[in-house]
Amino acid sequence: MASEVSEKGVVLLGMWASMFGMRARIALEEKGIEYEYREEDLANKSETLLRLNPVHKKIPVLVHDGRTVCESLVILHYIDEVWPAAPSKLLPSDPFARAHARFWADFIDKKVYNAGVNLWKAKGEEAMAEAKNEFIEVMKLLENELGEKSYFGGEVFGFLDIALAGYVPWFGTYELSGGFSMEVELPKLAGWVKRCKERESALKVFPDSEKVNEFLNFLKAKYFL
Ligand code: GS8
């Protein structure tokens, strides 16, 4: 793949459909940081990826002035600490509020991904009903956390918003797989999704929903059949 990563500036190794990669890209876009984006073929990982993330061998990988940061939430923290002012902090300044945002981001990592995969994999009415209920239950907890706020960060589209935003392009696949509507089941969260999709960062980063559906069908054929 591409040439060596330069010693100066910001480079992100990602994959267009990855919720984790999208988190990092949205954070960079929200902060208005100039960066070079390198698309990885995960079926044929670049030497650069294997060298820069030898532990997990996964994207996203952020390289800043020749130094590497791995893991999407760690990358979000790093971006927020290095570029705190532009245009606002992603994490709240109050330690309690910060711990609270981290708790829910951790909840997303522990619960949302698996609940989504279970929906894609479920076969038969009973398994599907169970997966659907589990997914909605998990998302209801997030919806309660959102409450009446515009964003999880209040008026600021912050750390937790970005942690969940990576999943937004996939929500349509969960709805299609489970035969439910987020608008009906999770109306406040559906409002958040709408606001999220309208953001400039999302318009730049989110792939087309049709392309995501096609990619899911490819994954299903490869892994779930
Ligand atoms: C997860 C990254 C990940 O799973 C994070 O950054 O938050 N906890 C990590 N990346 C996937 C692509 S998205 O499904 C990946 O790089 N997979 C390659 C592989 O597993 O070989």
Side-chain angles (χ1 to χ4, degrees), residues 2-215:
S3 54
E4 276 307 289
V5 174
S6 89
E7 288 296 311
K8 279 273 152 241
V10 179
V11 177
L12 184 80
L13 309 189
M15 199 281 278
W16 67 273
S18 161
M19 45 282 274
F20 308 107
M22 281 189 265
R23 282 175 172 170
R25 287 173 68 194
I26 288 180
L28 290 166
E29 294 289 345
E30 286 286 336
K31 291 279 188 180
I33 298 159
E34 258 189 56
Y35 65 103
E36 178 197 340
Y37 176 67
R38 293 199 188 176
E39 178 74 14
E40 277 288 327
D41 173 1
L42 294 179
N44 183 23
K45 295 173 187 171
S46 71
E47 285 301 316
T48 311
L49 172 59
L50 298 175
R51 182 170 54 81
L52 295 179
N53 190 357
V55 175
H56 296 301
K57 305 177 177 68
K58 291 184 179 191
I59 61 91
V61 173
L62 182 86
V63 191
H64 179 212
D65 289 347
R67 293 189 299 181
T68 303
V69 184
C70 299
E71 287 291 309
S72 60
L73 293 181
V74 179
I75 291 172
L76 261 50
H77 274 277
Y78 179 80
I79 290 172
D80 205 28
E81 288 189 346
V82 175
W83 295 276
S88 60
K89 287 280 284 175
L90 299 178
L91 275 157
S93 50
D94 170 58
F96 178 77
R98 221 164 39 233
H100 195 77
R102 286 198 193 107
F103 169 86
W104 283 108
D106 181 60
F107 173 85
I108 291 171
D109 273 1
K110 288 189 173 128
K111 297 286 188 179
V112 177
Y113 184 79
N114 286 340
V117 171
N118 290 344
L119 260 179
W120 295 335
K121 281 185 171 172
K123 288 203 173 63
E125 252 175 60
E126 207 178 308
M128 182 53 81
E130 201 180 307
K132 174 184 147 180
N133 291 341
E134 181 206 358
F135 183 83
I136 293 173
E137 214 173 281
V138 164
M139 298 313 281
K140 270 256 176 275
L141 289 167
L142 280 167
E143 182 170 81
N144 287 343
E145 170 56 22
L146 176 68
E148 301 302 325
K149 302 192 291 285
S150 295
Y151 296 115
F152 288 94
E155 287 314 303
V156 174
F157 186 77
F159 182 76
L160 188 50
D161 294 284
I162 297 176
L164 189 60
Y167 285 88
V168 167
W170 290 96
F171 283 162
T173 69
Y174 303 140
E175 288 177 302
L176 268 178
S177 302
F180 64 89
S181 151
M182 284 185 63
E183 189 84 47
V184 173
E185 304 285 348
L186 302 150
K188 286 180 195 160
L189 204 59
W192 173 87
V193 168
K194 193 162 172 289
R195 287 189 285 285
C196 182
K197 282 181 172 170
E198 285 164 357
R199 295 189 73 82
E200 223 173 279
S201 58
L203 292 171
K204 281 192 189 159
V205 170
F206 285 175
D208 187 62
S209 56
E210 204 39 54
K211 201 175 156 197
V212 177
N213 278 328
E214 277 169 24
F215 185 61

